[in-house]
Amino acid sequence: MMIQLIEKYYRLLIRTSSSLESPFLLAVRLYWGWQFMQAGWGKLHDIGKVIGFFTDLGIPAPVLNAYFVSALEFAGGLLLAVGLGSRLVALLLAVDMIVAYTSADREALFSIISNPDKFTAAAPYTFLFASLLVLIFGPGRFSLDTPLTRRRDERRIRRTLADAPGSFTPKVLS
């Protein structure tokens, strides 16, 4: 009797928390998409400073990389916010933040074990974390990816059924 009651409430907890997954992912995408957009916009509007910073860090092709990173963060933030190409964009933004750690916050990166507070206080941390959340869990139901993926899957199923041996494909009259 007691075990059944615990199981019942545990299933309720699972259902309730699972129903919050898509709203949570939407909030993450909207907030961090906006943050990435602002960071990219700021870089694009002061590109000379970014080029100088990249040059000082010894990043190869600093002009090309400054424009690439600025555009990636701005456009990637927009795409992340609306949930279009979410996992690919999240992967690119995560790599961007890993490069930021390795080039600009190396000391914080290497303190991940010895001083985790320093690692989590570094600027790239929350951007990296948000990118990884979307990369791993996807954009959630409230994204442009959802109807596009659904439509693609429906077409794939129809093709598979039409190509199956002995399947009946009705002719459409013009």
Side-chain angles (χ1 to χ4, degrees), residues 119-140:
F119 175 75
T120 59
Y125 176 75
T126 49
F127 287 92
L128 175 61
F129 191 77
S131 298
L132 291 174
L133 278 174
V134 176
L135 176 63
I136 293 167
F137 295 106

Side-chain angles (χ1 to χ4, degrees), residues 50-69 96 99-106:
V50 178
I51 292 168
F53 183 60
F54 281 18
T55 302
D56 292 346
L57 291 173
I59 293 175
V63 174
L64 177 69
N65 278 308
Y67 277 103
F68 175 75
V69 166
D96 178 31
V99 170
Y101 257 123
T102 59
S103 59
D105 279 315
R106 186 175 293 260

Side-chain angles (χ1 to χ4, degrees), residues 139-151:
R141 285 190 314 263
F142 309 125
S143 69
L144 292 179
D145 282 345
T146 299
L148 295 174
T149 303
R150 187 176 301 131
R151 206 171 301 141

Side-chain angles (χ1 to χ4, degrees), residues 3-131:
I3 290 178
Q4 290 171 335
L5 186 63
I6 292 170
E7 286 176 350
K8 175 183 174 184
Y9 284 110
Y10 186 70
R11 284 192 301 274
L12 177 64
L13 173 66
I14 297 293
R15 264 194 325 275
T16 305
S17 58
S18 293
S19 71
L20 297 174
E21 181 179 330
S22 286
F24 172 74
L25 288 167
L26 174 64
V28 167
R29 285 191 357 263
L30 288 174
Y31 182 79
W32 289 106
W34 177 253
Q35 294 302 317
F36 269 115
M37 282 177 59
Q38 285 186 312
W41 185 256
K43 287 179 175 112
L44 286 168
H45 279 39
D46 201 359
I47 199 70
K49 184 177 178 183
V50 178
I51 292 168
F53 183 60
F54 281 18
T55 302
D56 292 346
L57 291 173
I59 293 175
V63 174
L64 177 69
N65 278 308
Y67 277 103
F68 175 75
V69 166
S70 302
L72 170 65
E73 290 179 6
F74 179 72
L78 176 64
L79 292 170
L80 192 68
V82 299
L84 183 60
S86 304
R87 283 194 157 126
L88 175 60
V89 169
L91 174 64
L92 294 173
L93 291 171
V95 169
D96 178 31
M97 291 302 103
I98 291 168
V99 170
Y101 257 123
T102 59
S103 59
D105 279 315
R106 186 175 293 260
E107 188 179 330
L109 177 63
F110 290 135
S111 69
I112 190 170
I113 303 297
S114 62
N115 188 358
D117 288 341
K118 187 173 193 170
F119 175 75
T120 59
Y125 176 75
T126 49
F127 287 92
L128 175 61
F129 191 77
S131 298

